[in-house]
Amino acid sequence: MARDIPHIPGHVAVIMDGNGRWARSRGFPRLEGHRRGAARAREVVEWAADAGVRCISLFAFSTENWARPPREVRGLMSLLATMLPREVPAMNENGVRLRVLGAVEALPERARRVLDEALEATRGNERIDLVLCLNYGGRQEILAGVRNACREAMRADDPDAVLAALDAVNFRQWLWCADLPEVDLLIRTGGERRISNFYLWDAAYAELFFSDRYWPDFSREDFLAALDDYARRERRFGRTSEQVRKAR
Ligand code: IPE
Ligand code: IPE
Ligand code: MG
């Protein structure tokens, strides 16, 4: 059921942070935090779909997370490989279409295989897009975009003209996120106030929401509070408040 608030963000992106601290504070190994975090992720997608959000991105593994202890990296990869296939039936029931963002070719073979299978199995679903951000880095994405744009220019008769025609709007076509809606609301749990290399291009005008809650504790009420907060924001994109109100 759609909620009765005026401005539902079309695309919510979430930095699911605090799994490790959640586990440590209870005397559990960090991986238990990741397990609980994955279960929470599944619920949040449901809450988002119920609220009328059309696309939700979940930051599951950053390009920088390879620097963690090998055991934790292996644990995260195997969590993905075991959990994702189990989620597919529920995703199909709930109209969740899986998408991935990031340099997935560098993931272990098993993880790539389950991702491919889940992408294929859910491709016809239309209620909400779930974008799993895996081996994702915003700087890496922008670099890849620059390379794509340069390749296009090199193929053209007048490379300088192609590069000169690039602007802050049309450059997005070269990014990994090109066919996703722009991020409207970026949520980070776990108490840190930083972007950690997530969606750098879209962060330019996304609304930011920080929660002190560790990700496994992030509740439906917390999520709805973020949506309510977003609904009260005035997105001005450089204009004045008067201009924005007049344009409504
Ligand atoms: C986020 O939780 C999950 C991943 C980065 C995979 P963390 O593992 O970063 O949890 P904290 O920040 O150590 O508590
Ligand atoms: C960001 O969390 C990455 C993910 C949630 C996947 P981190 O815990 O890795 O971020 P930093 O290292 O604290 O900035
Ligand atoms: Mg963290």
Side-chain angles (χ1 to χ4, degrees):
M1 210 200 310
R3 295 173 67 248
D4 186 29
I5 57 173
H7 306 292
I8 303 284
H11 184 178
V12 177
V14 188
I15 302 175
M16 309 182 289
D17 196 23
N19 292 347
R21 281 164 288 162
W22 180 92
R24 284 288 176 235
S25 70
R26 284 164 176 76
F28 298 144
R30 289 180 56 89
L31 204 58
E32 182 57 25
H34 295 314
R35 263 187 226 110
R36 297 291 286 260
R40 186 45 36 127
R42 175 198 194 179
E43 292 175 296
V44 172
V45 174
E46 276 311 295
W47 303 334
D50 286 346
V53 172
R54 298 306 306 270
C55 181
I56 182 163
S57 290
L58 300 179
F59 204 4
F61 192 86
S62 75
T63 41
E64 290 70 32
N65 287 149
W66 294 109
R68 294 195 175 196
R71 218 175 109 90
E72 180 166 341
V73 172
R74 277 199 304 275
L76 283 164
M77 294 300 157
S78 93
L79 190 61
L80 173 73
T82 51
M83 273 203 64
L84 194 58
R86 282 189 221 144
E87 289 303 317
V88 167
M91 288 170 78
N92 283 335
E93 237 163 75
N94 297 322
V96 181
R97 175 169 68 161
L98 181 70
R99 313 186 65 169
V100 289
L101 198 70
V104 280
E105 64 279 359
L107 296 179
E109 203 262 327
R110 190 163 150 242
R112 284 199 323 265
R113 198 177 59 243
V114 300
L115 276 170
D116 283 343
E117 287 166 3
L119 285 168
E120 183 56 31
T122 63
R123 62 187 287 183
N125 297 335
E126 292 184 339
R127 190 157 158 253
I128 188 168
D129 279 357
L130 161 60
V131 185
L132 271 190
C133 302
L134 289 161
N135 195 20
Y136 174 85
R139 289 176 173 175
Q140 289 78 356
E141 177 181 34
I142 292 172
L143 263 176
V146 170
R147 287 194 195 99
N148 289 337
C150 288
R151 256 183 232 115
E152 168 86 354
M154 285 189 296
R155 275 196 294 266
D157 294 334
D158 187 349
D160 279 338
V162 172
L163 292 178
L166 278 179
D167 63 32
V169 175
N170 68 26
F171 177 71
R172 197 172 182 272
Q173 70 184 299
W174 300 113
L175 297 175
W176 295 334
C177 65
D179 57 354
L180 298 175
E182 263 187 50
V183 174
D184 297 302
L185 171 63
L186 199 161
I187 298 174
R188 183 181 189 134
T189 64
E192 313 292 358
R193 265 79 174 149
R194 57 178 172 258
I195 306 283
S196 297
N197 204 16
F198 195 34
Y199 272 117
L200 289 188
W201 187 266
D202 280 359
Y205 267 105
E207 296 295 327
L208 308 180
F209 183 91
F210 297 101
S211 165
D212 288 335
R213 206 82 79 191
Y214 294 147
W215 175 248
D217 286 333
F218 192 67
S219 68
R220 186 163 185 275
E221 287 63 40
D222 296 326
F223 181 71
L224 295 181
L227 293 190
D228 279 335
D229 192 73
Y230 174 85
R232 282 193 298 272
R233 309 268 180 105
E234 182 178 65
R235 303 188 74 189
R236 290 193 284 275
F237 300 98
R239 291 172 298 166
T240 65
S241 190
E242 289 75 12
Q243 288 174 299
V244 173
R245 272 183 269 134
K246 221 179 262 172
R248 269 200 204 121

